[in-house]
Amino acid sequence: MAAAAAAAREKGKAVKRAESKSPFVLGSIVRIFMKNFLTYTVCEVRPGPNLNVVVGANGTGKSSIVCAICLGLAGKPAFLGRADKIGLFVKQGCMKGIVEIELFKSPDNIIITREIYVVNNASVWFINGKPATLRTVEEKIADLNIQVDNLCQFLPQDKVGEFTKLSKTELLEATEKSIGSPEMYQFHCELKNFREKERELENLCREKTTSLEKMKQRVERYKQDVERYHECKRHVDLIEMLERKRPWVEYENVREQHEEVKRCRNQAKKELKSLKEMQAPWTRRIQEAEENLNNLDVQTRDVTAEIRNISQKCKEKQDALEMKDKQIEEINQAFRMKKDEETNRQKKIYQTQKIIEEWQNELDVMAVGENLQPQIDAVNTELKKLQEEKANIDNDISDLRAEKTNHEREEKRISDRLGQLNNIMHMKEENLKMRFRDTHSALMWLRNNRDKFKKKTCEPMMLEINMKDSRHAKYVENHISSNDMRAFVFECQEDMETFLVEVRDRQKLRVNAVCAPAESCAENLPSRPVEELHQYGFYSYLRELFDAPPPVMSYLCNQYHVHNVPVGTQKTRDMIERVIQETNLRQMYTAEEKYVVKVSSYTKQNLSSNICLKEAQYLTSSVDTEERGQLENQRQDISNTLKSLDARLTALFDRQKLLDHKDNKLRQEKKELLGRGNRRRQLESKIGVKYDSLRQLEQDAIDLEKEFQLANVKIKEINKQKSELVTELKHLMRRIVPLNVVKVDLAFQMTRVTAEKNRLQSEYKEGTVQLRALQQRFHELDNRKQLLYEKCMELMKQARQVCRLGPDQGFPEEFKVAFQTLPNTLEEIDAFLNEEKTRASCFTGLSASVVEEYNKQTQEIQQLTEYLEEKKNELNNYKQNISQVKEKWLNLLKVMIEQINGKFSKFFSSMQCVGEVDLHMENEEEYEKYGIRIRVKFHSSTELHELTPYHQSGGEKTVSTMLYLMALQELNRCPFRVVDEINQGMDPMNERRVFEMVVETACKKRTSQYFLITPKLLQNLTYNDKMTVLFVYNGPFMLETYKWNIKQFKRRQRHLSSMTES
């Protein structure tokens, strides 16, 4: 849609351009179109080809036009100094904005359109209605020499002060880009690049020359080392040949030893064989003695086993006899027990008869029982009353205990909840201690010294404020300053001064304190009920979102108007324009933003600003003080109730103890009465029981004679068995005696045979010593022969390895020839070898790498010499190029600076001041440090001073900047220049002079287009027919852009004038 509108406007313009030659220069701005951009809903501006003075009150949208020119021509938001995101330039409440710039170009103008989207801060570009990339747009603009980032061409309001901060170098580059020919800035860049390359080449040549000299010196040193290395090599080769021959000589020596040892071993073997033949008879006799001794030992073991078997059977018979003796003893013990039992039965019968006789006598003398029933009934009645009273007391105690348990359970629940609340309060205090240590120290002092204050003192607000919902903490924290969040609140000024003298002056703590208003504002009513704001998404005022002590709430209502600041939702954010217009609220909160509304001093319109809310830091952990107070009161009430219940229980326990005492006394009395009535019946019953017991004892009589006869029968039977066991034991004893005799005889025989064997071994031992010695010598010679053989093989292997010979390879002839010239003994070889090694060791620090390094260095010297010659030629070429480009650039630069200086000096002279512009250089060869120096003098009594951000006053810097830009105007090759509110720091006289110069300079034929933005103009200024004045107004009664028709206004004016004349 935007593309179609742009195409239609392009077509209309093309027709007008065809009518006559346009006064616009190439790249001038023909038209500016804005939609939903900053303060504009829809606006179209058509500037003139020369001077354009944009006039309007502050806040009407003058600088919005400047922003549109910059952003519409691919400028960066940061250059304007307003915002760093492009989406912030879209009108508030809109999601998309459009900026369209029409630039003059023959035959067809260029229309550049930029659509700005709030989401993702994205932009879409069009050129003449067709989609384009940012790079394409930048190339088109660069072709027209438009530089919106050059302060010499484009000077927005927020960048005016930065012009004087430009360094000389930056001013030179900006001026070159602005009015110099394209070749000038190109020459300057080439010179800087050439100079940089020249420096690099000079440094490189210097480094390489130094390196070359060092390498040559090093090679000269290497030459001597190489000669010494070759001499050393000759000694090393001789050492190597000696080391090759030495293992062969060593092998030959060991081989000769092996042959000698082998001969001695064979001789020892023959002698050993002869000695063994001589020892054979003694050996046979000793073997016969050992066989006889073994036979006797077998017979002895057999006899011993038989004796052991018979002995075991004897022991079994003896154990059986002992068992029979125990059985007889058990029978006698059982008879004795029967006898004792019968004696005890007779004693019990006597005792029972005696007890029956005593009880019968007592029964005979006992009178007839008296009537005790009335006394027993009276006692029973008293006991029944006591039981009823005790039951009532037990019920009361049970009820009181149940009630006490319930109260204790409730007390525990309340204590647990208070513990949770205290933990939250502790967390808040720890947060305070971590962030504001001085404030925490003052808090500890306050808690220990509350008695020093006359009225109530409140702790820091971040501890006293308790959010009803932690999600709302961000609104309160963003509304109340951090200093007040950690401030103590006092009800009277005197208490606050006492506190501050102590903590600030004496303890040197950095704390804040405030005093609540004398008249409480805590109950102030809002300007309107919150129900009236529900339609806009508001649901509460700030005051309703938290609890605080009355002094704190009073201070916040008085200082921050928390009772009159509403909090809304996303719905409020979506309709914020309507909310601002209809509610007249000065502060409000949406879901994530805070809005502040002010009234413009010029237009009396509402100006709003908004900021994003920061996350809450202090109030996320909240304690419900009302709940805490209620819980404390409940815990006190329960404590009092528990004390009352304990007192009542104590009284009931005392009464219960008294009743128990009475009950025990009555029961004892009843027991005695009942005992007196039941004694006769008890005696009669006891006598009957004793008669039954007596009859039973008489029936349990034991016949001792019969029991004695039975015991004798059993004992006779056991004695018969014992006689049989004794007979068997005698037979076994007769068998064991001959066996013991045989065993003794065998022992005598073994002793005799053992003595004979020892005698033979003693005689044999004398010949064995010589045999062992000969065997040991034979084994030693055999072992040594084997070791020498292995050593020969090992030395042979080593010798072949040293000579690098294969397993089947013959001994080379060259080694035979070389070995003949060398010594033939190890001693001579070792002496010769040590001598050569000593000579070789004199050549220390030499290796084959010396020769390699020598050859390598020689080659590198040749390569480096060629490379150095090449770089020197390249350096000479660069110097020639620099000389040529420098001449061209300085000629152009000096002409440009002379022209600027002429214009600049002329403008200053017309103001009775002095101004000069010259070329500044520290070093003729340092092209990156060339710069333009501006020197000014505003008073005849002073000298010329360089224009700096610090030396001149604000007005003097503004005048100097404006005159420098005017000096560039006639020389400028850029299509337009924008200066925003540069006249604000000038006095009226300078402002008038500068304005007249701007009009004179900018209204010349075929000069660049000029935009001068200002909120006001002096009266009776000089104007020119070629200048265009654009008045910017803003308000609810403005005509729409498409209804604004200058020609129609002029016709109406002429009509009214004619009517007045007639």
Side-chain angles (χ1 to χ4, degrees):
M1 184 175 180
R9 288 192 290 272
E10 174 64 16
K11 186 176 179 181
K13 291 301 174 184
V15 174
K16 292 183 179 180
R17 285 196 300 272
E19 293 177 357
S20 62
K21 187 177 181 181
S22 174
F24 288 93
V25 299
L26 179 65
S28 298
I29 298 175
V30 177
R31 180 176 56 84
I32 305 167
F33 175 75
M34 296 168 284
K35 183 177 181 180
N36 296 331
F37 184 79
L38 290 176
T39 58
Y40 294 106
T41 303
V42 176
C43 181
E44 185 175 74
V45 179
R46 295 183 179 277
N50 297 101
L51 176 61
N52 292 276
V53 181
V54 183
V55 185
N58 289 332
T60 56
K62 302 185 304 301
S63 295
S64 299
I65 299 173
V66 177
C67 295
I69 295 173
C70 179
L71 299 178
L73 296 176
K76 301 295 187 292
F79 180 71
L80 295 169
R82 287 197 167 199
D84 56 349
K85 295 180 181 179
I86 190 66
L88 297 176
F89 288 88
V90 177
K91 187 174 182 180
Q92 199 169 42
C94 300
M95 302 304 292
K96 171 186 172 184
I98 298 175
V99 175
E100 190 173 271
I101 308 293
E102 182 175 354
L103 302 174
F104 177 77
K105 185 178 181 183
S106 179
D108 296 318
N109 288 352
I110 299 175
I111 301 177
I112 298 174
T113 306
R114 182 175 190 173
E115 294 182 356
I116 304 170
Y117 294 90
V118 175
V119 180
N120 297 330
N121 291 295
S123 295
V124 179
W125 295 89
F126 299 90
I127 297 178
N128 295 330
K130 298 179 181 179
T133 62
L134 174 60
R135 185 177 183 83
T136 305
V137 173
E138 289 175 342
E139 289 174 354
K140 282 280 186 185
I141 293 170
D143 291 342
L144 298 173
N145 197 34
I146 297 175
Q147 307 164 23
V148 292
D149 58 345
N150 189 342
L151 294 180
C152 290
Q153 180 177 346
F154 196 94
L155 194 61
Q157 178 180 352
D158 296 318
K159 294 288 184 176
V160 171
E162 292 188 13
F163 184 86
T164 57
K165 296 179 183 178
L166 290 175
S167 67
K168 302 180 187 68
T169 304
E170 292 171 338
L171 182 59
L172 173 59
E173 291 183 0
T175 305
E176 284 180 326
K177 292 177 184 178
S178 178
I179 68 170
S181 62
E183 297 82 4
M184 181 186 296
Y185 183 66
Q186 183 180 351
F187 288 156
H188 193 184
C189 293
E190 288 179 359
L191 277 173
K192 289 190 285 186
N193 293 334
F194 286 159
R195 177 56 184 158
E196 182 64 27
K197 192 64 177 178
E198 181 187 23
R199 270 198 296 266
E200 292 177 1
L201 287 172
E202 287 176 347
N203 293 333
L204 180 62
C205 290
R206 193 179 303 111
E207 291 174 2
K208 295 301 180 183
T209 301
T210 304
S211 299
L212 184 60
E213 289 300 323
K214 290 181 179 178
M215 289 172 68
K216 288 180 178 179
Q217 295 172 5
R218 198 179 305 120
V219 165
E220 190 61 32
R221 289 196 302 273
Y222 284 161
K223 188 175 180 180
Q224 299 173 2
D225 292 342
V226 168
E227 293 174 355
R228 294 176 67 239
Y229 172 78
H230 288 305
E231 185 178 354
C232 179
K233 184 75 165 56
R234 287 192 295 272
H235 293 290
V236 170
D237 291 341
L238 183 56
I239 291 170
E240 184 179 355
M241 192 57 68
L242 286 168
E243 288 177 343
R244 285 176 177 175
K245 183 174 181 179
R246 190 181 189 286
W248 287 104
V249 175
E250 190 174 0
Y251 161 74
E252 187 62 27
N253 293 338
V254 174
R255 190 186 65 78
E256 292 175 356
Q257 292 177 20
H258 173 264
E259 291 298 327
E260 178 65 22
V261 170
K262 183 179 179 182
R263 187 184 59 78
C264 295
R265 170 187 169 277
N266 294 335
Q267 181 66 28
K269 186 176 181 181
K270 291 179 183 179
E271 294 176 0
L272 182 62
K273 183 178 179 182
S274 175
L275 189 59
K276 282 183 177 180
E277 291 174 355
M278 294 173 62
Q279 292 281 11
W282 279 283
T283 304
R284 285 194 300 271
R285 292 174 63 184
I286 290 171
Q287 287 177 351
E288 291 173 358
E290 287 179 349
E291 290 175 0
N292 191 12
L293 193 62
N294 290 335
N295 291 333
L296 290 173
D297 184 56
V298 170
Q299 293 176 20
T300 302
R301 282 199 298 270
D302 293 340
V303 171
T304 301
E306 183 68 19
I307 292 172
R308 190 182 299 113
N309 187 25
I310 295 172
S311 299
Q312 181 66 28
K313 289 180 180 179
C314 290
K315 186 176 185 307
E316 290 175 357
K317 299 302 180 180
Q318 290 174 350
D319 292 341
L321 286 173
E322 291 177 358
M323 183 62 66
K324 295 303 179 180
D325 290 338
K326 288 182 180 179
Q327 290 177 357
I328 292 171
E329 180 63 27
E330 288 175 356
I331 291 170
N332 291 328
Q333 181 66 25
F335 177 75
R336 285 195 295 274
M337 290 176 65
K338 292 283 187 180
K339 189 175 181 180
D340 292 341
E341 185 179 347
E342 177 62 20
T343 303
N344 291 334
R345 187 183 69 83
Q346 294 294 338
K347 288 181 180 179
K348 287 181 179 179
I349 290 173
Y350 173 74
Q351 291 174 352
T352 303
Q353 289 175 346
K354 187 176 181 179
I355 291 171
I356 292 172
E357 183 179 354
E358 290 175 355
W359 286 351
Q360 188 65 46
N361 293 333
E362 184 180 355
L363 186 62
D364 292 341
V365 297
M366 186 177 291
V368 179
E370 53 197 323
N371 188 8
L372 302 174
Q373 192 61 38
Q375 298 180 31
I376 293 173
D377 292 342
V379 171
N380 286 335
T381 302
E382 286 293 324
L383 283 172
K384 185 176 181 181
K385 290 181 181 179
L386 282 175
Q387 292 297 328
E388 290 176 353
E389 187 175 357
K390 285 175 67 178
N392 291 334
I393 290 174
D394 289 341
N395 290 336
D396 291 344
I397 290 174
S398 178
D399 293 343
L400 289 175
R401 282 177 172 169
E403 186 178 355
K404 181 179 179 181
T405 301
N406 291 335
H407 283 299
E408 287 175 344
R409 192 180 296 114
E410 181 65 15
E411 184 181 32
K412 185 178 184 303
R413 184 190 68 79
I414 292 172
S415 298
D416 291 344
R417 179 57 183 160
L418 284 172
Q420 294 176 1
L421 296 178
N422 289 332
N423 285 338
I424 295 173
M425 198 66 187
H426 180 69
M427 289 170 57
K428 293 178 72 175
E429 289 182 15
E430 285 299 317
N431 190 15
L432 175 70
K433 182 178 180 181
M434 181 176 65
R435 294 176 181 275
F436 311 110
R437 188 170 294 276
D438 285 0
T439 304
H440 184 267
S441 300
L443 173 65
M444 295 296 101
W445 181 86
L446 176 66
R447 288 179 176 175
N448 295 327
N449 296 276
R450 290 191 183 275
D451 55 337
K452 296 183 179 181
F453 302 99
K454 297 179 179 179
K455 293 187 177 181
K456 180 180 179 181
T457 58
C458 296
E459 296 179 355
M461 293 188 197
M462 62 184 291
L463 300 182
E464 297 286 6
I465 294 175
N466 287 290
M467 301 304 302
K468 297 179 179 178
D469 189 335
S470 61
R471 292 174 297 178
H472 298 148
K474 59 183 178 181
Y475 302 119
V476 178
E477 287 195 24
N478 279 272
H479 195 72
I480 302 172
S481 70
S482 175
N483 287 335
D484 278 354
M485 286 295 291
R486 57 191 176 97
F488 295 82
V489 182
F490 297 85
E491 286 190 309
C492 72
Q493 188 70 26
E494 184 179 350
D495 285 347
M496 185 175 76
E497 290 175 358
T498 301
F499 174 76
L500 291 178
V501 166
E502 174 62 32
V503 299
R504 276 190 185 173
D505 299 344
R506 295 178 184 168
Q507 300 185 24
K508 306 300 182 183
L509 300 178
R510 293 178 294 178
V511 298
N512 296 334
V514 297
C515 187
E519 185 177 348
S520 178
C521 302
E523 302 299 329
N524 285 3
L525 297 176
S527 57
R528 65 184 76 183
V530 74
E531 291 78 10
E532 294 182 8
L533 301 177
H534 284 172
Q535 59 179 318
Y536 303 110
F538 293 108
Y539 58 87
S540 174
Y541 286 104
L542 270 181
R543 182 175 62 183
E544 317 308 325
L545 300 180
F546 65 91
D547 293 322
V552 176
M553 186 65 78
S554 175
Y555 175 78
L556 294 178
C557 289
N558 180 66
Q559 186 69 21
Y560 291 97
H561 307 289
V562 294
H563 63 289
N564 212 24
V565 177
V567 180
T569 59
Q570 185 60 36
K571 176 183 176 182
T572 313
R573 172 66 180 83
D574 295 340
M575 55 188 305
I576 192 64
E577 292 289 344
R578 180 183 165 196
V579 173
I580 292 172
Q581 292 175 3
E582 296 181 4
T583 61
N584 292 326
L585 292 170
R586 291 293 169 256
Q587 293 187 73
M588 68 197 81
Y589 287 87
T590 63
E592 298 295 337
E593 295 176 319
K594 175 184 179 180
Y595 282 84
V596 178
V597 181
K598 297 181 180 179
V599 179
S600 173
S601 57
Y602 292 98
T603 62
K604 302 304 180 182
Q605 287 188 338
N606 289 333
L607 300 176
S608 65
S609 63
N610 65 303
I611 57 172
C612 293
L613 298 180
K614 299 177 183 176
E615 291 298 325
Q617 299 179 1
Y618 311 121
L619 305 179
T620 50
S621 302
S622 299
V623 178
D624 190 338
T625 52
E626 184 177 351
E627 179 189 4
R628 186 177 180 184
Q630 291 177 355
L631 291 174
E632 292 284 358
N633 294 335
Q634 290 176 12
R635 184 166 70 174
Q636 186 62 37
D637 293 343
I638 290 173
S639 178
N640 295 335
T641 304
L642 287 174
K643 289 180 181 177
S644 174
L645 290 174
D646 288 338
R648 291 169 63 188
L649 280 171
T650 302
L652 289 173
F653 286 140
D654 293 342
R655 179 61 181 168
Q656 190 180 45
K657 198 177 294 183
L658 180 63
L659 292 176
D660 287 340
H661 180 70
K662 288 183 178 181
D663 182 86
N664 292 334
K665 188 175 180 181
L666 289 172
R667 288 181 184 279
Q668 185 64 30
E669 185 179 351
K670 179 181 177 181
K671 184 178 179 181
E672 292 176 357
L673 291 172
L674 290 173
R676 287 165 59 188
N678 294 331
R679 180 62 179 167
R680 186 180 182 85
R681 287 191 297 274
Q682 287 177 356
L683 287 173
E684 292 174 351
S685 175
K686 285 182 179 181
I687 290 171
V689 171
K690 285 295 182 181
Y691 274 121
D692 293 339
S693 176
L694 184 62
R695 283 191 295 270
Q696 184 65 38
L697 287 170
E698 290 173 351
Q699 291 175 2
D700 293 339
I702 298 174
D703 190 349
L704 292 177
E705 187 63 27
K706 183 179 179 181
E707 291 293 331
F708 178 73
Q709 292 177 357
L710 288 174
N712 286 334
V713 172
K714 290 180 180 179
I715 290 170
K716 287 178 180 180
E717 182 63 26
I718 292 171
N719 286 331
K720 184 180 178 180
Q721 294 174 0
K722 284 176 66 178
S723 175
E724 293 176 355
L725 289 172
V726 169
T727 302
E728 293 176 357
L729 183 61
K730 287 180 179 179
H731 287 301
L732 291 173
M733 295 298 292
R734 290 192 189 101
R735 288 177 59 191
I736 202 171
V737 171
L739 289 174
N740 283 325
V741 173
V742 172
K743 182 178 179 182
V744 171
D745 184 49
L746 289 173
F748 286 144
Q749 292 181 30
M750 285 184 68
T751 302
R752 189 168 58 252
V753 172
T754 302
E756 180 64 17
K757 177 187 173 184
N758 292 336
R759 185 184 63 80
L760 291 173
Q761 284 179 341
S762 176
E763 294 175 355
Y764 176 76
K765 187 175 182 182
E766 297 175 359
T768 304
V769 171
Q770 186 179 358
L771 180 64
R772 280 204 198 96
L774 192 57
Q775 284 178 338
Q776 184 176 359
R777 183 167 178 270
F778 172 76
H779 288 308
E780 288 175 355
L781 289 172
D782 189 57
N783 291 335
R784 189 178 176 196
K785 170 184 169 294
Q786 186 63 30
L787 290 173
L788 287 172
Y789 176 77
E790 292 174 357
K791 189 174 182 181
C792 282
M793 299 304 297
E794 181 65 26
L795 289 173
M796 169 73 79
K797 183 178 179 181
Q798 290 178 5
R800 299 185 71 85
Q801 286 179 351
V802 169
C803 295
R804 299 183 182 90
L805 299 178
D808 301 327
Q809 185 179 356
F811 197 72
E813 189 65 29
E814 58 178 317
F815 284 173
K816 292 180 180 178
V817 174
F819 286 177
Q820 288 176 358
T821 61
L822 300 176
N824 295 321
T825 63
L826 285 177
E827 292 77 7
E828 292 174 348
I829 289 174
D830 288 339
F832 196 9
L833 191 60
N834 290 332
E835 181 182 350
E836 290 300 317
K837 284 184 177 179
T838 302
R839 290 176 181 177
S841 65
C842 294
F843 300 92
T844 57
L846 298 178
S847 65
S849 61
V850 174
V851 180
E852 294 177 4
E853 186 66 22
Y854 175 78
N855 297 332
K856 181 181 177 183
Q857 289 287 336
T858 305
Q859 186 178 359
E860 287 181 357
I861 286 173
Q862 184 179 355
Q863 293 175 352
L864 185 56
T865 304
E866 295 172 357
Y867 177 78
L868 186 58
E869 187 65 29
E870 179 185 346
K871 290 300 175 183
K872 285 182 177 179
N873 293 335
E874 187 178 349
L875 177 60
N876 292 332
N877 292 335
Y878 269 107
K879 288 183 176 180
Q880 292 176 6
N881 292 335
I882 288 173
S883 178
Q884 294 170 4
V885 175
K886 178 182 178 182
E887 184 178 359
K888 296 176 183 179
W889 177 65
L890 282 179
N891 290 338
L892 294 173
L893 180 61
K894 289 176 180 178
V895 171
M896 182 188 74
I897 292 178
E898 286 176 3
Q899 292 175 343
I900 295 172
N901 183 48
K903 299 290 183 184
F904 189 73
S905 299
K906 178 182 175 184
F907 291 144
F908 260 85
S909 297
S910 65
M911 297 177 63
Q912 286 78 45
C913 298
V914 180
E916 290 183 0
V917 175
D918 59 6
L919 179 63
H920 176 266
M921 66 181 80
E922 296 178 2
N923 186 343
E924 189 176 353
E925 300 300 326
E926 302 294 332
Y927 304 108
E928 69 276 6
K929 295 183 180 179
Y930 275 63
I932 290 180
R933 180 174 61 178
I934 301 175
R935 297 194 298 164
V936 295
K937 181 174 77 169
F938 286 90
H939 307 286
S940 58
S941 59
T942 61
E943 297 293 331
L944 278 169
H945 288 286
E946 187 177 338
L947 181 64
T948 65
Y950 316 107
H951 191 274
Q952 288 79 16
S953 66
E956 290 173 348
K957 288 187 288 188
T958 302
V959 170
S960 301
T961 301
M962 194 66 184
L963 295 183
Y964 184 80
L965 296 178
M966 286 168 54
L968 301 182
Q969 180 68 13
E970 293 183 2
L971 306 174
N972 198 10
R973 63 182 183 87
C974 64
F976 65 85
R977 179 172 284 105
V978 177
V979 179
D980 189 3
E981 296 193 18
I982 199 170
N983 59 336
Q984 292 305 297
M986 300 184 193
D987 57 61
M989 181 180 295
N990 285 334
E991 183 178 354
R992 183 178 299 277
R993 289 176 179 174
V994 170
F995 184 81
E996 290 173 354
M997 293 179 193
V998 171
V999 172
E1000 179 183 355
T1001 305
C1003 292
K1004 291 181 179 179
K1005 187 176 181 180
R1006 302 302 295 172
T1007 187
S1008 300
Q1009 193 177 30
Y1010 202 101
F1011 289 87
L1012 179 63
I1013 317 298
T1014 179
K1016 61 182 179 60
L1017 288 174
L1018 299 175
Q1019 296 180 355
N1020 302 322
L1021 291 174
T1022 302
Y1023 296 96
N1024 190 295
D1025 293 338
K1026 291 184 179 181
M1027 66 185 291
T1028 303
V1029 180
L1030 300 172
F1031 293 97
V1032 181
Y1033 287 98
N1034 207 344
F1037 304 108
M1038 285 296 297
L1039 284 174
E1040 298 293 337
T1041 304
Y1042 65 87
K1043 294 181 181 179
W1044 188 271
N1045 191 321
I1046 297 293
K1047 293 182 178 179
Q1048 185 178 351
F1049 294 158
K1050 289 182 177 179
R1051 285 196 299 271
R1052 184 179 180 189
Q1053 183 183 18
R1054 286 196 295 269
H1055 177 67
L1056 292 174
S1057 298
S1058 61
M1059 289 178 61
T1060 303
E1061 291 174 358
S1062 62

